[in-house]
Amino acid sequence: AEQAKAKRNRNKVLKIVGICLIPVLVCVLGYFIMLGVLEHNAKTDSFLNEDGTIKGKNAKDYVTVCDYKKVDRKDFLPKESDVQKAMDAILEEYIETITTAGTEYEDNATVNLTHKVTVDGKEIKDIEYSNAPYELGSNKYTAEFDKKIAALKVGDSYEFDITFSSSFSSTVLAGKKATFKGKVVSMDKEPELTPDFISKNLADEMKGTDFPLTAEGFKEYCANELYMEKLREHVEDYIVKNTKVNSYPYFYTKSQYYLADKTYLSQMDYYNAMLGGIYASPVDMLGLESRGEYKKELKKQSETVAAYYLACQAIYEDAGIAKVTDQEIHDYITEYTTTDYADFVKQYGYNYLA
């Protein structure tokens, strides 16, 4: 997919960081391209050389680059709970919904409930459930509620009272006795992470990494994705904060201005298609007061992007990084997108991809 993140082995990354983080910076540049945050047009490509640098410009004439060889390193190893959330997010599309009556729950299962809640004989519409997920063990209401639901099976009906403490978060239920009447509609069954399942369903997700197609390999892959995300953010933030912009190349920055405008328009069209035409203009979408404020926003965005790319180009030139080869560009694009490579080059332009 266009929004796939750059995928690298953690040990290799740590080694790269120990050198000077240059390959990570190149990865960051590619990351922005693959995210599609800047929609391309032919004019942008005309401002770039075949290696992706700004044509006819020495980046050091515009920025005083940071000391990129001394980027402070931090511990970005993710928490176990965050790794689990990342795994769950990927596995969500493979969840099987079990509706067979009498099916017993799995440990800490998510069950789907439909029920009505009454307090003093009156229905409380705000907290009705209609085939809504409930995670056993979460104690979302109370431990007693959780225990009563856990004692049931798929297809079972239930009716019971729960007395809430006066400190309960919902003012409607705090200090009240509520009656829950409903049914366990289904249970969500998560896939078992067997080598066969991972090979069939997650091989594309893990493509381009050194992680084995096993449950442990998948977990390490997710941990590495989180690690790389934090590292990229740290590197980008370091570059932005520690590079001084002396001036902006006019035509290149102007092209970024128009790209930002086009991107906002595309976003607006997308939201309008999804939500039924709620925005009349990007000014409305961004919550701005006037067209003048919108132009200031575009100027800010274009200068931010120009400054970042100038800083990266200055580092690229200073470190003497070799030009990316045709094969490297081809391999990178085909690894992280399903779009035909030739079509991708036609859409974005070779110089822009480089």
Side-chain angles (χ1 to χ4, degrees):
E2 304 296 342
Q3 298 184 357
K5 300 172 184 174
K7 303 171 182 178
R8 296 289 186 270
N9 179 275
R10 182 188 305 155
N11 291 333
K12 291 180 180 178
V13 171
L14 288 173
K15 183 178 180 182
I16 291 169
V17 173
I19 296 172
C20 67
L21 274 173
I22 287 298
V24 179
L25 296 176
V26 176
C27 176
V28 171
L29 285 172
Y31 177 62
F32 277 111
I33 293 171
M34 296 310 296
L35 277 178
V37 295
L38 294 177
E39 193 168 339
H40 174 72
N41 63 22
K43 182 179 288 187
T44 306
D45 213 52
S46 68
F47 289 117
L48 303 174
N49 297 310
E50 285 191 358
D51 62 356
T53 56
I54 303 171
K55 188 176 292 184
K57 304 296 180 185
N58 184 333
K60 288 186 178 180
D61 292 340
Y62 296 92
V63 297
T64 302
V65 73
C66 59
D67 187 354
Y68 55 89
K69 294 182 181 180
K70 294 184 179 179
V71 178
D72 57 311
R73 285 172 283 173
K74 298 183 178 180
D75 182 8
F76 296 120
L77 295 179
K79 297 178 181 178
E80 187 77 18
S81 58
D82 291 334
V83 175
Q84 187 59 54
K85 287 178 183 177
M87 294 172 66
D88 291 343
I90 294 173
L91 295 174
E92 188 174 1
E93 65 177 288
Y94 303 104
I95 289 176
E96 180 184 3
T97 300
I98 307 298
T99 58
T100 304
T103 301
E104 295 186 355
Y105 304 149
E106 296 183 342
D107 292 341
N108 298 319
T110 295
V111 294
N112 299 296
L113 309 176
T114 293
H115 64 219
K116 293 184 177 181
V117 183
T118 57
V119 174
D120 297 330
K122 296 180 180 180
E123 285 189 13
I124 310 299
K125 296 289 184 181
D126 292 344
I127 50 179
E128 281 186 1
Y129 267 33
S130 180
N131 198 22
Y134 180 83
E135 184 179 349
L136 294 175
S138 65
N139 295 332
K140 180 178 179 180
Y141 286 118
T142 66
E144 184 183 3
F145 178 91
D146 199 282
K147 184 177 180 179
K148 289 182 180 294
I149 294 297
L152 304 172
K153 299 177 182 178
V154 174
D156 285 355
S157 296
Y158 56 86
E159 183 174 359
F160 51 75
D161 295 335
I162 297 291
T163 300
F164 292 87
S165 68
S166 57
S167 60
F168 189 69
S169 57
S170 169
T171 56
V172 177
L173 297 176
K176 303 288 181 64
K177 182 171 76 173
T179 300
F180 291 79
K181 183 177 182 180
K183 181 179 181 180
V184 181
V185 180
S186 60
M187 176 186 71
D188 291 339
K189 180 179 176 64
E190 294 188 354
E192 186 178 351
L193 291 177
T194 62
D196 182 58
F197 171 84
I198 294 173
S199 295
K200 288 181 179 178
N201 299 287
L202 302 177
D204 284 345
E205 173 73 31
M206 298 170 66
K207 182 181 176 181
T209 72
D210 297 331
F211 298 108
L213 297 178
T214 61
E216 188 60 29
F218 175 59
K219 182 178 180 179
E220 290 177 359
Y221 162 79
C222 290
N224 183 63
E225 288 290 279
L226 294 174
Y227 171 84
M228 284 299 298
E229 182 178 359
K230 289 292 185 184
L231 181 59
R232 281 191 294 266
E233 290 174 357
H234 176 59
V235 171
E236 178 190 355
D237 186 60
Y238 182 89
I239 293 172
V240 171
K241 287 183 176 179
N242 294 281
T243 296
K244 178 184 176 183
V245 181
N246 304 314
S247 62
Y248 297 93
Y250 177 78
F251 289 107
Y252 179 72
T253 307
K254 200 67 175 178
S255 75
Q256 297 300 330
Y257 180 98
Y258 291 124
L259 283 173
D261 184 34
K262 189 172 183 180
T263 300
Y264 281 136
L265 287 169
S266 297
Q267 289 176 347
M268 184 187 71
D269 290 343
Y270 173 78
Y271 291 139
N272 281 343
M274 292 286 291
L275 304 173
I278 60 173
Y279 298 121
S281 71
V283 177
D284 297 332
M285 181 181 71
L286 297 174
L288 302 175
E289 295 294 329
S290 66
R291 181 73 182 175
E293 283 192 14
Y294 178 60
K295 289 181 178 181
K296 288 180 181 179
E297 174 65 20
L298 293 178
K299 184 175 184 294
K300 177 184 175 183
Q301 292 293 333
S302 63
E303 290 182 349
T304 298
V305 172
Y308 180 75
Y309 278 104
L310 282 166
C312 289
Q313 179 173 324
I315 295 172
Y316 170 86
E317 293 168 349
D318 184 70
I321 300 174
K323 179 183 179 296
V324 217
T325 65
D326 295 344
Q327 190 61 48
E328 286 173 329
I329 295 174
H330 175 275
D331 291 347
Y332 188 87
I333 299 303
T334 54
E335 183 175 344
Y336 300 120
T337 179
T338 55
T339 305
D340 179 75
Y341 175 69
D343 291 339
F344 210 82
V345 172
K346 184 178 179 180
Q347 179 184 357
Y348 288 92
Y350 181 87
N351 297 353
Y352 185 61
L353 296 180

